Amino acid sequence: MNMHTDFSYFAPGTVPELHQLLQQQSKSTELLAGGTDLLVDIRAGRKSPDRIIDIKQIEAFKTVDYSPDKGLIIGASVSCSELIENTTIQKHYPLLVEAAADLASAQLRNRATIVGNLCNASPCGDMSRALLCLDASLEISSADSRRSVPLNDFITGVKTTVLTENELVEQIRVPAAMADLPAGNRKLKRIKGHDLSLASVSMVRSNDKLRIAIGSCSITPVLLPEFPVTVDLEEIYAQTDKLISPIDDVRCTADYRKFMVNNYIKQLYHQLT
Amino acid sequence: MRENIPDDQLRYVGKETDRVDSIEKLTGKARYTGDLRFPGLLHAAVKRSPHARARILNIDISAAEKMAGVHAVLTGKELNYKLGLYLVDKDVLARDMVRHHGEAVAAVAAETPKLARQALDKIKVEYQVETPVLDALEAMQDNSRLVHPGLDEYDYFKPAFTPQPGTNIANQTKIRKGDIDRGFSEADHIFEREYTNPNVQHVPMETHVAVASWKEAGKLDVSTSCQSPFTVRNLLCVAFNLSHKDVHVEVPYVGGGFGGKAGIGVEPLAACLSKKANGQPVKLEASREEEFSLLPCRCGLTYQIKTGVSNDGKIIAQKMTMIWDSGAYADYAVNVTRASSYSASGPYEIPNAHVDGYTVYTNKPYGTAYRGFGHVEFSWGMERHMDYMAERLGIDPLEFRLRNALKPGSLTLTGEKILPSTGNVTACMEAAAEAINYGELTEEERAREKRTGRKIAKSVSALHKAPAMPSFTATAAELRMNEDGSINADLSLTEYGQGTYTALTQIIAEELKFPPEKIHLSIKGDTEKAPYDWQTVASKGLLMSGNACIKAVQDLLDRAYNDAAQVLRADPCDLDHDADKIFIKHHPDENVSFSDLAVGYALPNGQGIGGPLIGLGRYMAQGLTNLDKETGQGLPALDWTYGSHGVVLEVDLETGEFDIIQVASAFDVGKTINPQAVRGQVIGGMIQGLGTALCEGYAYDSEGHLLNPSFTDNKIPTAKDIPEKIEGIVVETPQIDGPYGARGVGEHSMIALCGAIGNAIYWASGADLTHMPIRHEDVWWALHNTDKDRQRARYSIC
């Protein structure tokens, strides 16, 4: 393959080494996990990093761990396919499996990571929508700090996050309380195969509450305020209408996006209540 | 030829046969142009226009030229060459004016692809942006700005085309049959509607790529991914004033073409860069994004149909106006216009017909050949129109088609009389209808409707197409026997996925009585080694090259029998042969082996007889004529392949979402040579047709910028999009001048599928769509919104 840009490649084996690398000054550094967004951006000339740091050698990032008291942990290099095939996640968080299984194509799912999908911060990201519903948070670290950020605060705009230059996401945490809940996903696509979401909805029923997240209808995925399960559908529609701002573009019109979001909400509402 | 041999007397023709190229392709051993290695190879990159229409005020290449490792930088200024298949209207690089978004304005050849791209960044182009002409109907108005003010100076192929200088009309094709005014006056009902199609990209797996070396003394070597090596050679010779003997075009394996590689593409620019780089080989390989707008696409079409019908459902008169949006250059679009004009009614008899086909220049990426050559596009309108009329007449749409279908004795739009051997479109429709249980829902389907809440509907469409080619189209095949009695064969048909080489191997095997394993057709095209073929297009390859192969075998056997007659001291008329030897019929033990004859026979005393056994077969299309320019009357069709699609689909009336449950397609192939290959063409073309019907098409903004030049927003069907049930059916009405009765079916599987889908959606939901593609969103707009709202949805793909 023709290289489109010259860069230095690093593959640290431990988190401290990775932190060290991130502390060093550089023109632009990109983290490489699955590379399914990064390589596309490099080829298109949108990014030309002088350093690429591959995180896949770090053992700790390969973790998928679930316990009934601590909930679910997904490490930074866990791919969509690994998540889909994980029987524990299939059992306790089927919403995540459903969302991941409809992300891109089989080949891309083998490479693309869950954390990468969040860090790419696309308004149409498939995992962010589902993880918002599940009240996920991200464990962020750098050489001299650690912090935990709710996913709802993590994505700040189209392809932007709260991450600073020397930080990275080590893992996603999903609360134990969100395990084993009735949930569902709907995603509007142009073909049945590999496509971005044109509009999408995830919904979880947690005790007497409905948690709803909407993708591709705003500059970020949108988490609606919780509703009691007894809520009237019209009330959800009204809130949705206030909080989303879909656009007309080459993929879809705003009107159809809006219509299908409501339609998906209706479908999932009837499925879960 | 050989069209009436009973199946039980055929050894290889008609039998399931594995593709001759499958192992090389599946093991990755097949070499494509991009795999070839050349010492000193330079890599090209192309600077492209960000505007749909602009004057080029200045191009500064000085900084790019100074870069180390950059061997050639070109602009249109120093390339005084014009290109064009039928109408010579295109520069190698834009000069003075850019005519579409993405047009090439400068090019670089450098030692690495990266260096070439960096050099491009240093080229500065000053443009004066102008308002583009984007709508073909507006472009036809008298006051429209001209895309080609110099149209009157261009050379063109005069027997077939009629440009109109001073306008944007690159060609007008007229067909006049019967008395259109009287026809309309006799009709009980008049139906008039307009149907539209966007530009569509071919998306072959292998993008366009060529390597050119312009050597000393006007010698040019080109390796390229193309469909037609001899057309590439001829056009290069004409454009650059070179002798045909000095231009060598070779074509290794090709990863798909679909018409996009039918003519000439990246070869001339690669050649000019090589010339500028003192003959070093230059490789120009299009990126996927460049496929969308540096290279050509399928033309857009606006089809206006006005039909007069009698109370008993017979079409009496039809006026058909086709406005083909050819974009910035005429390329194949003028011939798409011509070919679709003479087929414009579909496989129905129209006693009084009036067709005006216009090829119209606009400031959009230019149109070229695309599988179906216009028929996919116009059949969308015509098949929708048939159902539109049938509903208003209160006649079942299939019945309406059957009443009007071409049958023996019917006259086509150009006055050609249909014969019993022409084919049977009625049988195709009946077979497709039967396969989908047309006219009723099965118990299973009714249960499904109940379960899903969706509505199921069915439709049957019909189609025809003949090859669009010059009346004097010719080809040839050459066979050479080897020392072991095996055969090498050469022809210049390009195998780019159709499976024709496997079918031709079967035909040669059948004719020779040799097992196919003893025959090898060289897949690599080579204008220095293999005999001429016009182009690999139009679904004419099997018929024409098949006949050439039969004649080549006869020629080789004539020589072999003459030599054997001397050896056996017999009359050639008393000889027969099997896979190994020629023998005397009445004394079969008296024989001579092919291996002993292959390169000349040696008598026991050492004396020689005969010589290398070769066979040449030429084939010329029979009995075709030019069309009269005023009436369009004449004989343009080598053969007509008829077909029909039956479609079952279900629609969600609330959301507009729909799923295709079943497609059953029937074609009158004359004679199946290889069932595997027919199946491949039938299913492959049907799925490509689904892409056109459901999701593909160019979207532009109001300034003519192409908004979706990649797979992110130009979706094509995937394995998941294949209908639940698919079926291919063959009808076999032997073609008298087809090899073993066969005719082509390469393009047909894609034609009229879109209309069948549009009709079934209408019958299921009432969504009455006249524009392709039909996205779920479009169905929703049609079901729930006003006409004005619906226009807004067109924003996307237009």
Side-chain angles (χ1 to χ4, degrees):
Chain A
M1 184 192 156
N2 301 316
M3 297 313 291
H4 288 256
T5 183
D6 290 324
F7 55 81
S8 306
Y9 172 82
F10 302 90
T14 66
V15 178
E17 281 169 28
L18 171 55
H19 284 150
Q20 202 61 45
L21 281 165
L22 285 173
Q23 287 295 99
Q24 292 165 9
Q25 286 295 315
S26 87
K27 208 162 80 243
S28 61
T29 295
E30 292 290 340
L31 293 177
L32 170 70
T36 54
D37 289 309
L38 179 60
L39 267 68
V40 173
D41 284 338
I42 290 174
R43 181 179 174 277
R46 288 189 290 266
K47 284 182 177 168
S48 45
D50 65 338
R51 295 196 313 167
I52 286 182
I53 304 176
D54 186 340
I55 63 162
K56 288 194 293 295
Q57 300 306 313
I58 298 172
E59 209 53 39
F61 288 177
K62 297 177 183 169
T63 307
V64 180
D65 188 43
Y66 170 74
S67 68
D69 49 333
K70 286 190 185 145
L72 176 66
I73 291 171
I74 301 168
S77 64
V78 174
S79 72
C80 292
S81 293
E82 284 163 348
L83 183 140
I84 293 163
E85 286 157 17
N86 186 300
T87 50
T88 307
I89 301 181
Q90 285 170 10
K91 183 157 176 245
H92 299 295
Y93 298 96
L95 182 72
L96 292 181
V97 173
E98 202 187 315
D102 205 12
L103 182 151
S105 62
Q107 293 88 336
L108 288 171
R109 288 193 291 273
N110 287 338
R111 298 288 307 176
T113 62
I114 309 297
V115 168
N117 191 247
L118 300 185
C119 291
N120 189 48
S122 163
C124 49
D126 287 299
M127 298 316 298
S128 47
R129 183 188 71 241
L131 284 160
L132 275 175
C133 266
L134 295 174
D135 198 19
S137 59
L138 306 181
E139 298 301 310
I140 295 172
S141 71
S142 68
D144 47 21
S145 73
R146 298 192 74 79
R147 56 182 177 144
S148 179
V149 176
L151 176 56
N152 202 24
D153 299 332
F154 177 72
I155 298 173
T156 53
V158 178
K159 306 242 169 184
T160 59
T161 68
V162 299
L163 283 179
T164 61
E165 268 184 17
N166 52 7
E167 283 183 319
L168 79 142
V169 175
E170 287 195 22
Q171 54 185 227
I172 303 167
R173 283 174 180 272
V174 186
M178 302 308 286
D180 307 312
L181 297 177
N185 255 310
R186 294 289 187 276
K187 174 176 171 182
L188 180 65
K189 305 198 291 184
R190 289 163 290 190
I191 53 173
K192 288 185 187 167
H194 174 186
D195 195 10
L196 301 163
S197 121
L198 311 186
S200 52
V201 178
S202 296
M203 193 185 291
V204 174
R205 180 179 174 164
S206 160
N207 298 319
D208 297 332
K209 296 278 196 303
L210 291 178
R211 291 177 62 89
I212 302 170
I214 296 164
S216 306
C217 285
S218 177
I219 56 166
T220 65
V222 172
L223 179 67
L224 302 185
E226 284 186 353
F227 296 98
V229 287
T230 52
V231 68
D232 192 69
L233 258 178
E234 292 301 325
E235 172 59 22
I236 306 181
Y237 295 156
Q239 281 289 334
T240 304
D241 198 46
K242 256 192 249 168
L243 290 171
I244 65 171
S245 46
I247 56 165
D248 282 329
D249 68 10
V250 69
R251 293 174 196 162
C252 194
T253 57
D255 298 85
Y256 193 54
R257 286 187 157 113
K258 228 177 233 181
F259 171 83
M260 286 306 288
V261 163
N262 282 349
N263 186 273
Y264 289 156
I265 287 172
K266 181 174 72 181
Q267 288 180 32
L268 291 167
Y269 174 86
H270 289 309
Q271 184 182 319
L272 303 181
T273 63
Chain B
M1 242 183 256
R2 312 271 192 272
E3 72 278 12
N4 280 321
I5 302 177
D7 282 350
D8 59 6
Q9 288 174 29
L10 293 170
R11 291 179 175 86
Y12 308 112
V13 161
K15 307 293 187 284
E16 296 278 356
T17 307
D18 290 341
R19 290 179 64 116
V20 294
D21 51 352
S22 56
I23 290 175
E24 285 213 318
K25 283 184 172 168
L26 291 171
T27 55
K29 299 239 162 53
R31 308 273 284 171
Y32 296 80
T33 300
D35 298 324
L36 305 179
R37 295 287 168 262
F38 297 82
L41 181 68
L42 300 176
H43 301 266
V46 182
K47 183 98 176 167
R48 308 204 291 134
S49 169
H51 310 296
R53 181 182 175 116
R55 299 221 158 263
I56 300 172
L57 301 179
N58 186 45
I59 305 181
D60 182 357
I61 57 171
S62 54
E65 281 183 316
K66 284 184 200 131
M67 287 173 65
V70 171
H71 290 248
V73 183
L74 280 177
T75 68
K77 217 172 228 174
E78 61 186 290
L79 301 178
N80 191 18
Y81 309 115
K82 276 267 190 259
L83 294 162
L85 284 156
Y86 297 108
L87 202 172
V88 186
D89 61 1
K90 191 174 186 309
D91 298 305
V92 178
L93 290 169
R95 310 174 79 196
D96 306 327
M97 179 102 190
V98 290
R99 294 186 170 87
H100 68 84
H101 181 214
E103 180 164 15
V105 292
V108 169
E111 287 168 11
T112 67
K114 187 179 163 193
L115 201 53
R117 277 193 299 276
Q118 287 171 340
L120 279 195
D121 291 341
K122 294 207 189 304
I123 296 174
K124 300 294 169 214
V125 188
E126 274 178 63
Y127 295 100
Q128 183 186 322
V129 180
E130 296 187 355
T131 307
V133 179
L134 297 176
D135 183 282
L137 273 67
E138 285 171 19
M140 288 177 73
Q141 305 294 323
D142 287 342
N143 58 355
S144 174
R145 307 176 124 224
L146 298 182
V147 178
H148 288 271
L151 180 55
D152 57 331
E153 293 157 20
Y154 297 159
D155 195 14
Y156 66 98
F157 185 64
K158 295 178 181 65
F161 303 109
T162 314
Q164 297 180 3
T167 76
N168 283 316
I169 298 170
N171 172 50
Q172 182 185 359
T173 298
K174 297 180 192 172
I175 311 281
R176 307 288 184 259
K177 180 189 171 195
D179 182 337
I180 190 77
D181 293 331
R182 210 183 69 204
F184 279 125
S185 69
E186 287 173 2
D188 300 309
H189 309 270
I190 306 275
F191 301 106
E192 193 166 4
R193 281 229 287 192
E194 180 179 292
Y195 305 88
T196 51
N197 310 253
N199 295 128
V200 173
Q201 171 53 220
H202 308 77
V203 292
M205 264 207 260
E206 182 200 27
T207 61
H208 287 70
V209 50
V211 181
S213 313
W214 193 305
K215 298 173 173 172
E216 73 293 346
K219 288 191 177 2
L220 176 60
D221 282 354
V222 177
S223 301
T224 179
S225 173
C226 76
Q227 294 176 215
S228 314
F230 278 89
T231 287
V232 168
R233 186 182 76 164
N234 187 46
L235 292 174
L236 289 170
C237 290
V238 171
F240 300 141
N241 196 24
L242 300 173
S243 169
H244 288 70
K245 73 180 182 338
D246 295 332
V247 176
H248 176 202
V249 175
E250 60 168 6
V251 181
Y253 273 104
V254 176
F258 308 114
K261 297 173 184 168
I264 197 162
V266 292
E267 300 88 353
L269 182 53
C272 292
L273 284 166
S274 173
K275 188 180 186 187
K276 179 91 174 186
N278 295 318
Q280 268 182 266
V282 173
K283 178 185 194 174
L284 176 46
E285 184 166 21
S287 67
R288 182 59 66 189
E289 289 80 357
E290 285 170 333
E291 287 288 297
F292 280 85
S293 62
L294 174 65
L295 288 147
C297 56
R298 193 167 81 194
C299 310
L301 170 67
T302 300
Y303 193 13
Q304 298 162 340
I305 312 171
K306 179 183 172 186
T307 313
V309 190
S310 66
N311 278 331
D312 63 351
K314 287 287 283 183
I315 297 173
I316 299 172
Q318 194 157 271
K319 184 165 191 285
M320 294 154 272
T321 308
M322 295 179 154
I323 295 140
W324 289 98
D325 182 349
S326 84
Y329 299 102
D331 201 80
Y332 273 101
V334 288
N335 203 30
V336 167
T337 303
R338 178 178 176 274
S340 47
S341 291
Y342 65 68
S343 293
S345 60
Y348 311 110
E349 183 166 25
I350 317 291
N352 302 291
H354 177 115
V355 186
D356 282 317
Y358 298 95
T359 319
V360 183
Y361 286 129
T362 60
N363 289 119
K364 291 200 264 191
Y366 65 106
T368 189
Y370 187 122
R371 192 178 200 171
F373 212 66
H375 292 57
V376 173
E377 301 91 298
F378 82 70
S379 69
W380 156 247
M382 187 49 73
E383 290 303 304
R384 288 286 291 117
H385 197 61
M386 291 299 282
D387 275 39
Y388 174 76
M389 296 190 287
E391 184 186 23
R392 276 149 191 81
L393 292 163
I395 302 174
D396 174 84
L398 174 59
E399 172 57 28
F400 183 53
R401 283 176 175 77
L402 293 170
R403 278 186 209 176
N404 289 286
L406 289 170
K407 46 186 85 62
S410 300
L411 293 180
T412 66
L413 295 181
T414 70
E416 178 192 343
K417 193 193 221 174
I418 299 299
L419 304 172
S421 60
T422 308
N424 191 339
V425 71
T426 297
C428 293
M429 283 190 266
E430 286 169 345
E434 190 188 335
I436 62 163
N437 288 300
Y438 179 80
E440 56 174 7
L441 294 191
T442 62
E443 209 164 291
E444 195 184 321
E445 287 159 349
R446 279 199 299 274
R448 183 177 173 135
E449 275 194 335
K450 221 172 193 176
R451 196 174 65 244
T452 61
R454 292 173 159 204
K455 286 289 287 178
I456 295 178
K458 305 182 179 189
S459 71
V460 172
S461 65
L463 62 104
H464 70 171
K465 184 184 179 294
M469 58 188 214
S471 54
F472 51 93
T473 297
T475 190
E478 185 186 311
L479 307 184
R480 303 185 302 275
M481 188 172 278
N482 302 311
E483 291 88 333
D484 62 351
S486 65
I487 296 282
N488 278 106
D490 275 308
L491 48 142
S492 294
L493 200 68
T494 304
E495 171 63 81
Y496 50 93
Q498 324 87 306
T500 316
Y501 271 55
T502 308
L504 294 175
T505 302
Q506 292 172 260
I507 287 171
I508 294 169
E510 188 71 49
E511 199 65 25
L512 266 174
K513 301 190 224 175
F514 284 17
E517 299 74 46
K518 283 184 81 169
I519 296 151
H520 175 71
L521 270 74
S522 171
I523 285 193
K524 186 168 142 186
D526 189 329
T527 57
E528 280 194 349
K529 301 210 170 78
Y532 174 86
D533 188 284
W534 169 62
Q535 296 181 353
T536 311
V537 297
S539 308
K540 61 85 184 158
L542 177 64
L543 190 151
M544 302 258 320
S545 296
N547 286 340
C549 285
I550 291 174
K551 291 179 73 180
V553 171
Q554 290 169 351
D555 190 45
L556 182 139
L557 287 175
D558 280 351
R559 285 181 227 279
Y561 274 40
N562 277 333
D563 295 350
Q566 292 183 58
V567 175
L568 301 172
R569 294 188 172 82
D571 189 310
C573 74
D574 286 329
L575 300 179
D576 196 359
H577 74 279
D578 59 23
D580 301 312
K581 57 192 179 297
I582 297 174
F583 53 87
I584 299 173
K585 284 185 211 166
H586 47 280
H587 292 298
D589 289 344
E590 295 283 316
N591 62 60
V592 56
S593 70
F594 279 112
S595 55
D596 285 343
L597 289 168
V599 293
Y601 186 82
L603 291 167
N605 70 357
Q607 223 179 324
I609 293 175
L613 287 180
I614 58 169
L616 269 179
R618 303 188 298 162
Y619 191 74
M620 166 63 76
Q622 300 294 301
L624 307 187
T625 68
N626 291 330
L627 301 181
D628 183 279
K629 281 206 167 183
E630 289 309 312
T631 66
Q633 298 301 294
L635 299 173
L638 177 73
D639 62 330
W640 291 99
T641 303
Y642 294 119
S644 174
H645 297 281
V647 167
V648 183
L649 56 74
E650 62 179 8
V651 183
D652 183 322
L653 303 188
E654 192 183 353
T655 64
E657 293 168 293
F658 61 90
D659 280 319
I660 297 168
I661 299 170
Q662 185 183 0
V663 178
S665 312
F667 301 95
D668 193 339
V669 300
K671 169 71 189 168
T672 304
I673 304 293
N674 182 6
Q676 277 188 31
V678 173
R679 211 155 41 237
Q681 289 299 306
V682 166
I683 294 173
M686 185 273 290
I687 293 168
Q688 198 169 9
L690 284 184
T692 284
L694 307 182
C695 53
E696 295 182 46
Y698 283 20
Y700 301 95
D701 66 14
S702 59
E703 288 161 354
H705 300 115
L706 179 59
L707 299 175
N708 57 342
S710 78
F711 293 145
T712 307
D713 287 317
N714 189 103
K715 303 310 290 182
I716 59 172
T718 68
K720 284 189 168 176
D721 295 283
I722 297 172
E724 290 166 32
K725 199 171 160 197
I726 47 183
E727 191 177 352
I729 303 159
V730 294
V731 171
E732 294 186 322
T733 309
Q735 175 80 20
I736 294 173
D737 57 349
Y740 292 89
R743 55 177 81 87
V745 71
E747 300 164 282
H748 305 78
S749 46
M750 200 174 160
I751 302 169
L753 178 69
C754 309
I757 290 171
N759 288 335
I761 286 173
Y762 174 74
W763 293 114
S765 70
D768 191 8
L769 295 159
T770 56
H771 180 71
M772 276 205 299
I774 315 162
R775 300 160 306 166
H776 294 176
E777 169 167 10
D778 298 313
V779 176
W780 176 77
W781 279 100
L783 290 176
H784 299 289
N785 301 278
T786 65
D787 278 353
K788 199 174 149 218
D789 289 336
R790 207 184 311 161
Q791 289 302 318
R792 284 187 50 219
R794 289 257 189 108
Y795 164 77
S796 296
I797 297 174
C798 52

